Each structure stands twice: as C-alpha cells, then as structure tokens.
Amino acid sequence: MKRVTLFLIFVCVLFTLSVSAKTTIVYWQYFYQTKVDTINQLIKEFEKLNPDIEVKQVTFPYENYNQKVAASIPAGIGPDVINLFYGWLPMYVNSGYLQELPKNEFNEKYFKDNFFPFVEESVKFNNKYYSVPTAVRTLALFWNKKLFKQAGLDPEKPPKTLTEAVEMAKILSKYDSKGNLLQAGFTMQPDGQHHHWIREVLVRQFGGTPYSTDNKKVLYDKTGAAGEVLKWYTDRITKDKIGYPGFLNDDVTAFKSQKAAMTIDGSFRIGTLNTVKDLEYGIAELPEHNGIKSNFASFWTHAITTNAQGERLTASIKFLKFITSKEAMELWLKNVGELPANPEIANKYSEDKLYGPFLKGLAYAHATFFADEVGQRNVILEAIDKVRLNNTDPSVAFKEAADKEQKILDDFWASK
Amino acid sequence: MTLKQKKVVTAYTFLAVPIVFFLFVRFFPMVYSMAMSFTDWNLLKKNINFVGLNNYIKIFNDPVFVTSLFNSLKYILFGAPLVIIISLLMALLLNKIRKIQWLYRLLYVMPYITPMVAVSWVWRWMYQPLPLGVFNNALVALGMDVQPFLSSPSQALFCIVVTTVWVEFGYCVVIFLAGIQTIPEEYLEAARIDGASRWNITMKITVPLLRPITLFLVVTESIQFLRLFTQVYNMSFQGTGGPLDSTKPMALYIYHKAFVNFDMGVASSASFVLFLIIMFITFLQLRVFKDKVSY
C-alpha cells in the first residue's frame, strides 16, 4: 500500500514538473467574434509548433477596453501580449504599459521590408518600436447600385472625383414638398469616418498638410485652403443638402436601409452589409480632387506589456512574430475581412472586387498620430456643429478646432 | 447583563452589519474621492501627486464644466416644477374617480418601471428628423414645419426634460394619490358642511395638507434631475451630451473626465462640487417647506 502511495506521489510530482515547465502567456483583445476565432485558430497552430508554450486568450467588451487595461496593468495582473488601436499607442507608451520590442528582431529594416510605410511611422515612438499589426484598414466609397439605377445613373459607374460625387449626390437626393430630405445622396456623418476623411483626405486634396512631420504641430488651418476645407464640407450639408449628421440616426443605418446612395466607410463594414437582403452595393476608391488621391489608414496592433519578463518575454516575442506572419495575415483577411499589413500579400488581392479598392487606397494612405483619440475627434465634430448649428464662419471654426487640438498635442508632449 | 441590556446589544449587533456595509460601500469611497480631488490621480499615470486646489481651479476655468453646471440647473429648474405640478393636478383629478382608478395608476406608472435606456432610445427615435421621426411626421401631417429637436442646441435640453418628466410623472402621481387618500375625510366633510366650494377645499385643505409629500417629491425629483445621466448619454450622439455640449449635465461631465480621460482627480473635484450643490439645494428646500401644516 505504502509503495502505491509513494508511486502516486512520484507521478504527481513528475506531472506538475512537466506542466510548470510550460510557459503560459496571456493575450488580450476586445470581443469581436471573427477576431476571437481567428486568434484561437492561430494559438492552436502556435502551440503545436511550440509545445513548451501555452497561450491563453482573454476577451472583454470593446466599451470597457481602456478602463480594463488602465485598471489591470499597473496592478501587474494584465496580459503579456495585448491588442490595441494604433491611436492609443502614444498614450500607452507614455503610461509605461508597453515595452520596447527587441531591436535585433524588430528594427527599421524589418518594418520597411514587411509592412506598409504608414505602419512603420505609427508604431515608432521616440525612435523605438512598440507594436506590430496583422491587418490594416482603409476607407472607400460604398454606393448603392439600385438607387443609382432609380435616379437614372449608370449603376456601374461610381464617381471618380469630388465634384462628380457631389453632382451625383444632388441627383440622388430626394425631398418632400417642403424640402425635407427623405433620401440622402451622400451620408454626411462626421462622427462615423468623416472626421478622418476631412483630416487626412480633404485637407490634403485642398493642398494642405494636416500635421507637421514630427506630429507636434497642427497645420490644417494654416496650410493649403485651410478653412475652405471645412466650408466645402459644411456647404454640402447646409447648401446642397445631400445629407446631414444624424440622418436616419447614423450613416450605417441610412446606407443599410437603402436611404442613402453613397457613404464612406471601412472594409470592416463589408460583413455587416452582406447580411442585408437586397442591398446591391459596390465599392470604389475614395473620390480624388485636384488630381490628389489620399486615404486614411488605421489598424489594431499587438504589443508586449511590461508584465512580460524572462521566459514569458521570450515566449511573447515568438507569439507576436507568429500572429503577424504572412500566413496569419492571409487567414485574417479571409476570416475577419481586414487587409494584410504586408504590401506583398496585399497586392495579391488588389483586383478583388470587395477588397481591391481598399487595398489600392493603402498605397497612398496616412495614419493620424493621436495623442488623445477621443479628444481629437471631438474637436473636428465640434467645428462642424458650430458651422451648421451656430452659423460660425468655417475658417473661424476650423482655426478654433486647430487651436484646441494644438493644446491637446502640447499637453501630451509636455507630459512626456 | 439584564435582559434589557441583552436586547440592546443584540439590536446593535444586527444594526452594525448594514452600518459597516454603508461605511465601506458608501462613506469610505466618498471620503476617498474627496481626498483624491486634491491630487492629479490619472489612471494612466503611475504616480499620484498632491496638487491642492488645482483641480477646482481647472474645472471652473473649463467652459465645458461651467456649461454643464448651468445645464444641470436648467434641468432641475424646468424639470422638477413641471413634473410636480402636472402630477399634482393629475392626482387631484384621479382622486375624483373611483371605478377604474387602478387602471390609470397602472398606466401612469408604466414608464417609471421601464428601463431608462429603452425609454431614451424610443424617444430618441421619435424625435428623429424625417423620414423617421414620429413627431416630425405628425407635424408634417398637420401642415407645420419640421423641428430639429435633439439636433438643435436650443431645443435638445427641453426634449430630454420632456422625456424625463414623462418617466417621473407616474411615480409622483402615485405618491401624491397616496398622500391625498391619507387626508382624514372629516376635514373635507366639515368644510363641505360649512359650505366651502370645491376649489376652496382643494386649495385650502388638500394642497396644504400635502405639504410633507410635496416636500419629499420636490427634494427627490430635484436630486433626480441633478443626477440626470442615462437619458442624456443615450439621447445625444455617441453619448457626448451634444449638440455642442448643450445637453451635457454635470454627471456626464464627471463620467467623461473619469472614464474617457481617466482624469480621476478632476472628476473627483467635479463630483464634490455636485455633492455640495445637491446638499445646498436640499437644505434650501427643507427651509422653504419647514412650516408644518396641521388642523
């Protein structure tokens, strides 16, 4: 009997030893079904290749993202690898939550060889690299083919330029006898994607530069057509009346319910739109203006937190490399619908009907540097509201917005 | 120990449980937050420093805070009297009918027991512009001009007041009705025998005797309107308290500072200001309604 007990104890000890020899790392991301499934699939493959590493995925609702992180990492109970919006990187680095990626693995050459140029610029902070993305996103023009047909327009010919887009939108807009908008030619929803469109696309198309290259100065009110950009945008709401903020609650609802003929949105919307019955839509590159093409790119990216040390750090680096590999990128596109962050992979799909226009946009896209994503967005939204609700002069409103945003940037750089 | 002493000890032991709970869940966080209002605590920073009155100076120099302060005062000034007057009138009328009073009471109290988020979204859709909004469609059918409602900086606050009054109304009616029914029948009978008119009975007997109930409702409704949050969060675009901060109450300002900017220090100081205002208004109301009425 005694021997049996001893043997059992021996087996238990052996078992625990073999288990503890495994390094466990924790990966965090917000809950989005296809993303969670894809990561689970990648984890399985990764564990097969690295039997000594175990990866645990933890997810939580998007709404609590920053609260959850802010509460956990300082307490040392957070993840080793974390998925976060690129616009939050400066805030996270500044707070000391993330650690620099090892230079021997992730350096300028690595990023330049494997990623779009805007990625390299956005994950670098004080000349140190902090994160690597799997996928990226851009904007494109979505148009409703049925509504085009009804208005007597060629359903296969989306507008190529801003002027064309506005002319078409006017034809596509429908009003009641008192001039109330019943069908929008173009969604004008600044709190959707339009604040990005204004900042990174319209400003450039009107000859301006939104920010200085070191991201420390706001320039959109000082370069190019300056306030004319905001005037162009708000005139479409107040003069042409082709759409207005909050029409059918928001741009996505308006386009889904076929009450808006054109909208600007990201590739992540394709999944939602495909679930709508009888919605025939097409996707085109963003309209150009003055011969200038521009686009706004954004991405969710993976970083290693200060929690990961020793063996867990080594394992985290391996995992990070794995989930940002070319194979992972292709899987991500197939499952999630986000574009590969590697130009070589992306080019394979450039003629794809749905993803092609987004991928073409990547070549000339810019990613805004955000010190305070919410704050910087509100600045633009406020400027638009001031013009359309309080009749403020657009150039005054644009300048006020720039001053406010400058203060956000100044505060950020001062706190460093 | 005598039996009496034992009883007292037992009573205090049982009472201690809720008191301890109250101390830790209510009182301690309150004091803690008060202390934090003098620091630069930010969830994203590792150090906490004492900054004296800096946060208070900061918020009073913040035009958004001042706007939200005035918005909160507007909510209470328009909302509380409106709901009290309407529900008092309805309760007096409702007291006259006997047959299906329960049905009316039930119908009136329905909005109050509906989750606020659902109420907010339904009203938000009703306030929508054409072709969606019920109100605007009704206006068009009546041949009138459409109204911007929630998308106008001058109308949005009142739209939210109306929604809140609609919600609170049922609760106030029920409380008033209960109050009216506690008034002894003898008073009313005596007045009737003395030949008092209906109007006089209502104004000279019923309404004055409802004073304690009215005080209770004025205080609770004022606090309700001062703490307004859910309605505004759900009825303004992306919970910003817009358009142009015209509907943002103090509670939403605090929320934004604390859970969007993670600036806990500033949020704590704003909370403390809100606390002082609620306390001041409550004292004021207790003062005004102090005199007891009795016959």
Side-chain angles (χ1 to χ4, degrees):
Chain A
M1 194 63 207
K2 238 184 187 173
R3 249 183 235 168
V4 177
T5 326
L6 269 175
F7 178 72
L8 275 177
I9 291 173
F10 177 72
V11 169
C12 282
V13 169
L14 236 155
F15 185 71
T16 32
L17 273 179
S18 68
V19 168
S20 57
K22 252 190 181 183
T23 315
T24 306
I25 57 169
V26 179
Y27 174 80
W28 269 17
Q29 70 170 337
Y30 74 97
F31 185 86
Y32 191 86
Q33 191 68 56
T34 50
K35 288 191 180 188
V36 175
D37 293 345
T38 311
I39 286 289
N40 274 335
Q41 196 179 333
L42 287 170
I43 287 176
K44 248 187 217 159
E45 287 170 31
F46 177 74
E47 284 176 343
K48 227 180 267 166
L49 293 172
N50 301 277
D52 55 331
I53 302 175
E54 193 187 352
V55 186
K56 273 190 187 149
Q57 176 174 214
V58 176
T59 63
F60 39 85
Y62 172 74
E63 286 72 24
N64 317 14
Y65 195 95
N66 283 314
Q67 283 94 315
K68 175 113 178 152
V69 174
S72 313
I73 299 186
I77 50 171
D80 300 288
V81 183
I82 188 166
N83 182 247
L84 74 163
F85 186 62
Y86 90 96
W88 301 336
L89 268 175
M91 177 174 91
Y92 275 63
V93 173
N94 227 11
S95 315
Y97 290 172
L98 305 181
Q99 52 177 305
E100 188 194 351
L101 300 176
K103 278 216 168 79
N104 54 348
E105 302 251 18
F106 304 94
N107 43 38
E108 197 176 338
K109 190 177 175 319
Y110 175 78
F111 278 103
K112 290 221 157 128
D113 288 351
N114 295 299
F115 293 92
F116 281 102
F118 66 86
V119 170
E120 195 259 339
E121 285 162 27
S122 316
V123 298
K124 186 168 65 180
F125 202 69
N126 285 338
N127 278 321
K128 292 174 184 164
Y129 293 99
Y130 285 94
S131 78
V132 195
T134 309
V136 292
R137 311 139 19 135
T138 51
L139 302 178
L141 179 80
F142 291 65
W143 84 96
N144 184 316
K145 294 186 178 174
K146 218 191 285 172
L147 297 185
F148 265 58
K149 237 180 278 171
Q150 278 172 14
L153 294 169
D154 184 349
E156 297 307 325
K157 265 200 180 152
K160 283 237 157 66
T161 64
L162 272 190
T163 324
E164 262 178 53
V166 174
E167 286 316 311
M168 285 181 171
K170 283 186 196 162
I171 300 170
L172 287 156
S173 301
K174 285 185 188 163
Y175 309 88
D176 69 2
S177 57
K178 285 195 166 176
N180 297 308
L181 189 69
L182 298 180
Q183 176 180 304
F186 204 101
T187 57
M188 299 298 280
Q189 191 74 27
D191 57 10
Q193 302 298 326
H194 280 200
H195 67 101
H196 296 305
W197 186 45
I198 294 172
R199 226 191 256 116
E200 292 293 351
V201 182
L202 293 182
V203 165
R204 289 176 200 276
Q205 292 180 331
F206 281 80
T209 317
Y211 304 95
S212 63
T213 41
D214 60 1
N215 298 317
K216 288 184 180 169
K217 286 270 168 288
V218 178
L219 297 176
Y220 53 72
D221 64 323
K222 300 172 190 77
T223 53
E228 285 300 307
V229 177
L230 189 64
K231 184 170 168 8
W232 183 89
Y233 186 81
T234 47
D235 275 355
R236 304 289 80 77
I237 302 172
T238 53
K239 294 213 174 110
D240 292 347
K241 298 190 166 84
I242 54 172
Y244 59 84
F247 175 72
L248 260 97
N249 198 56
D250 59 81
D251 51 347
V252 182
T253 315
F255 193 75
K256 269 167 77 177
S257 50
Q258 316 219 31
K259 292 281 181 201
M262 288 183 271
T263 188
I264 288 177
D265 218 324
S267 47
F268 41 87
R269 199 69 65 199
I270 292 173
T272 323
L273 294 181
N274 283 345
T275 60
V276 183
K277 262 195 191 162
D278 350 296
L279 175 66
E280 292 169 45
Y281 69 95
I283 299 173
E285 281 178 85
L286 287 184
E288 56 174 73
H289 187 61
N290 292 331
I292 300 171
K293 283 183 172 188
S294 184
N295 208 317
F296 166 74
S298 64
F299 53 94
W300 282 75
T301 182
H302 320 280
I304 300 178
T305 71
T306 41
N307 284 346
Q309 298 296 343
E311 272 180 28
R312 292 210 332 264
L313 178 59
T314 326
S316 298
I317 293 167
K318 265 191 195 164
F319 184 62
L320 185 63
K321 276 238 153 158
F322 186 78
I323 55 173
T324 55
S325 63
K326 288 174 186 171
E327 294 72 33
M329 286 183 191
E330 291 207 51
L331 189 71
W332 202 269
L333 176 72
K334 215 167 61 196
N335 290 0
V336 185
E338 288 185 327
L339 319 168
N342 183 321
E344 196 187 304
I345 310 288
N347 283 339
K348 282 210 270 182
Y349 298 89
S350 65
E351 291 312 314
D352 186 282
K353 245 194 175 166
L354 289 179
Y355 296 109
F358 292 104
L359 289 163
K360 281 183 189 144
L362 277 173
Y364 46 84
H366 303 271
T368 313
F369 170 88
F370 286 113
D372 168 5
E373 195 231 342
V374 181
Q376 285 173 269
R377 176 178 62 184
N378 284 344
V379 156
I380 301 279
L381 304 187
E382 216 181 82
I384 294 164
D385 275 352
K386 275 184 190 162
V387 176
R388 73 183 184 100
L389 300 173
N390 288 355
N391 283 322
T392 309
D393 182 64
S395 44
V396 174
F398 216 37
K399 179 157 190 327
E400 283 172 0
D403 290 346
K404 261 194 185 171
E405 193 166 351
Q406 185 63 56
K407 196 175 171 300
I408 294 176
L409 292 183
D410 287 346
D411 285 351
F412 175 79
W413 291 108
S415 70
K416 281 204 34 38
Chain B
M1 213 186 270
T2 64
L3 185 65
K4 204 180 162 193
Q5 276 173 328
K6 262 188 190 165
K7 272 188 179 166
V8 171
V9 170
T10 317
Y12 275 113
T13 320
F14 276 103
L15 284 174
V17 178
I19 286 178
V20 168
F21 183 76
F22 183 82
L23 278 180
F24 276 93
V25 172
R26 266 272 141 93
F27 195 69
F28 171 69
M30 216 168 85
V31 174
Y32 186 73
S33 139
M34 248 176 243
M36 281 302 132
S37 74
F38 299 104
T39 68
D40 65 350
W41 182 28
N42 186 314
L43 272 187
L44 296 177
K45 286 188 187 121
K46 285 184 174 159
N47 303 321
I48 301 179
N49 305 308
F50 179 76
V51 292
L53 287 172
N54 261 4
N55 288 334
Y56 291 91
I57 298 168
K58 222 192 228 169
I59 54 172
F60 280 104
N61 281 325
D62 182 357
V64 181
F65 176 76
V66 178
T67 312
S68 73
L69 192 78
F70 279 107
N71 286 341
S72 281
L73 293 179
K74 274 189 210 162
Y75 279 119
I76 168 172
L77 277 180
F78 294 112
L82 198 63
V83 70
I84 301 276
I85 290 166
I86 296 180
S87 54
L88 179 59
L89 282 176
M90 284 315 270
L92 289 170
L93 287 175
L94 213 51
N95 191 43
K96 295 270 183 284
I97 59 165
R98 284 278 174 263
K99 267 196 182 145
I100 42 167
Q101 204 194 52
W102 63 271
L103 180 68
Y104 280 97
R105 269 199 324 233
L106 185 71
L107 288 178
Y108 287 148
V109 92
M110 272 313 211
Y112 188 71
I113 54 173
T114 311
M116 199 59 225
V117 175
V119 170
S120 307
W121 276 91
V122 170
W123 278 81
R124 178 177 173 161
W125 285 95
M126 295 204 290
Y127 280 131
Q128 286 284 322
L130 290 179
L132 207 65
V134 175
F135 293 141
N136 271 321
N137 274 307
L139 286 176
V140 168
L142 293 170
M144 289 194 269
D145 281 336
V146 294
Q147 294 298 322
F149 294 125
L150 288 173
S151 45
S152 146
S154 54
Q155 293 181 3
L157 187 133
F158 296 98
C159 292
I160 293 176
V161 166
V162 169
T163 307
T164 315
V165 166
W166 181 78
V167 169
E168 295 293 325
F169 166 72
Y171 168 73
C172 295
V173 165
V174 170
I175 301 286
F176 267 131
L177 210 52
I180 292 171
Q181 283 161 3
T182 58
I183 295 172
E185 190 61 28
E186 295 89 66
Y187 293 171
L188 307 173
E189 219 167 289
R192 252 176 257 138
I193 291 167
D194 286 347
S197 65
R198 257 189 189 190
W199 171 254
N200 273 336
I201 293 175
T202 308
M203 292 314 287
K204 297 264 163 69
I205 298 176
T206 316
V207 173
L209 280 173
L210 282 174
R211 204 176 185 122
I213 300 278
T214 316
L215 168 65
F216 169 74
L217 285 178
V218 167
V219 172
T220 49
E221 287 307 307
S222 302
I223 294 175
Q224 203 70 270
F225 275 96
L226 262 182
R227 298 189 336 189
L228 211 65
F229 177 83
T230 321
Q231 295 89 313
V232 188
Y233 188 78
N234 288 291
M235 287 171 79
S236 59
F237 284 106
Q238 298 196 340
T240 49
L244 292 172
D245 295 322
S246 63
T247 61
K248 189 183 250 174
M250 283 179 76
L252 191 59
Y253 177 86
I254 293 167
Y255 173 83
H256 277 275
K257 282 289 164 203
F259 301 109
V260 178
N261 300 341
F262 302 114
D263 207 337
M264 294 295 171
V266 169
S268 300
S269 54
S271 309
F272 193 53
V273 173
L274 179 62
F275 168 77
L276 288 180
I277 291 174
I278 292 184
M279 204 157 78
F280 174 72
I281 290 178
T282 311
F283 271 129
L284 205 70
Q285 289 163 342
L286 288 171
R287 259 265 135 92
V288 172
F289 285 85
K290 199 180 66 184
D291 308 319
K292 276 205 179 125
V293 180
S294 57
Y295 289 95

